[in-house]
Amino acid sequence: MVNARLIDRFAPRADFILAEELLLSAAATAAYRAIGELRDADLESPVIRLLFRARDLPGYVRSHGHVTDLGEILLGGKGILLGERPGREIVLGAAGRFWSPVPEWYEVTPETFRDFAHARGGTIAMAFLVDPLAEIGCRVTIETRITVADPAARRTASLYWRSIRPAAWLTTRGLLAAIAARATALTPS
């Protein structure tokens, strides 16, 4: 199927989903480039910066001594690139027990991600999709899918998801705003 989304290959079933989109009057190529160039410094909202500090992003930056990239921003340095359709979609992922007070992360590869079924863990897949729209520019969608195979762990993850969903929504909206600002700056007038 030509129009199938890449995230469907890695997370065809999800227990928890958050999807947000934004219409941009910027070129689709600029929006996709903005996603790839996104850095923590682009997140202008004080609230979103606070959310990332709560996840110890500054400690991560200090301990690694470099500017964080998109995967490190979004998945706490434990994320991997699952797949990409250049110019259209990029999917990041991580596996672990991320709902516990001290998250436990597990090694996965793009080949093992879909079937990951650790008894106490789950997966997070995050897709960035750019759809060109002739009339206005493009639509950027960010979709996060969390899958937890173990029923007992799913109950705990459900409590976690309910508590962080508002912050996840706010963070996603902030990421969309940062992408929009950068894409607009990259689009010739």
Side-chain angles (χ1 to χ4, degrees):
M1 179 179 212
V2 170
N3 291 330
R5 298 199 39 222
L6 190 56
I7 192 171
D8 294 329
R9 182 184 317 158
F10 297 103
R13 174 193 74 72
D15 297 300
F16 314 102
I17 297 174
L18 175 64
E20 291 291 319
E21 64 181 39
L22 187 62
L23 300 176
L24 305 181
S25 59
T29 54
Y32 195 79
R33 180 175 163 197
I35 291 167
E37 294 177 358
L38 189 63
R39 300 292 182 263
D40 62 329
D42 296 326
L43 303 173
E44 297 176 2
S45 164
V47 174
I48 292 174
R49 286 193 170 282
L50 179 64
L51 292 172
F52 280 115
R53 279 192 199 104
R55 292 178 51 212
D56 195 31
L57 182 61
Y60 184 83
V61 173
R62 282 193 297 276
S63 68
H64 287 77
H66 67 276
V67 177
T68 55
D69 68 14
L70 181 64
E72 291 167 339
I73 290 170
L74 300 174
L75 302 171
K78 303 302 178 190
I80 61 168
L81 174 66
L82 293 174
E84 180 176 16
R85 288 188 303 156
R88 178 96 167 109
E89 185 178 10
I90 185 168
V91 181
L92 305 172
R97 189 174 185 193
F98 38 85
W99 52 84
S100 62
V102 177
E104 186 177 339
W105 298 100
Y106 306 116
E107 296 292 321
V108 289
T109 65
E111 295 76 27
T112 63
F113 186 87
R114 178 185 175 125
D115 297 321
F116 178 85
H118 190 280
R120 300 179 319 144
T123 60
I124 305 171
M126 181 175 253
F128 293 79
L129 182 67
V130 178
D131 290 310
L133 302 172
E135 20 348 301
I136 61 165
C138 66
R139 175 180 41 242
V140 176
T141 304
I142 300 175
E143 182 174 343
T144 303
R145 296 181 184 180
I146 298 175
T147 305
V148 183
D150 177 41
R154 191 178 311 113
R155 284 190 293 280
T156 305
S158 176
L159 294 171
Y160 165 80
W161 180 246
R162 282 192 298 238
S163 69
I164 65 117
R165 193 175 197 296
W169 175 83
L170 192 59
T171 302
T172 301
R173 296 306 302 175
L175 288 167
L176 285 168
I179 292 165
R182 193 167 199 54
T184 300
L186 290 170
T187 300
S189 315

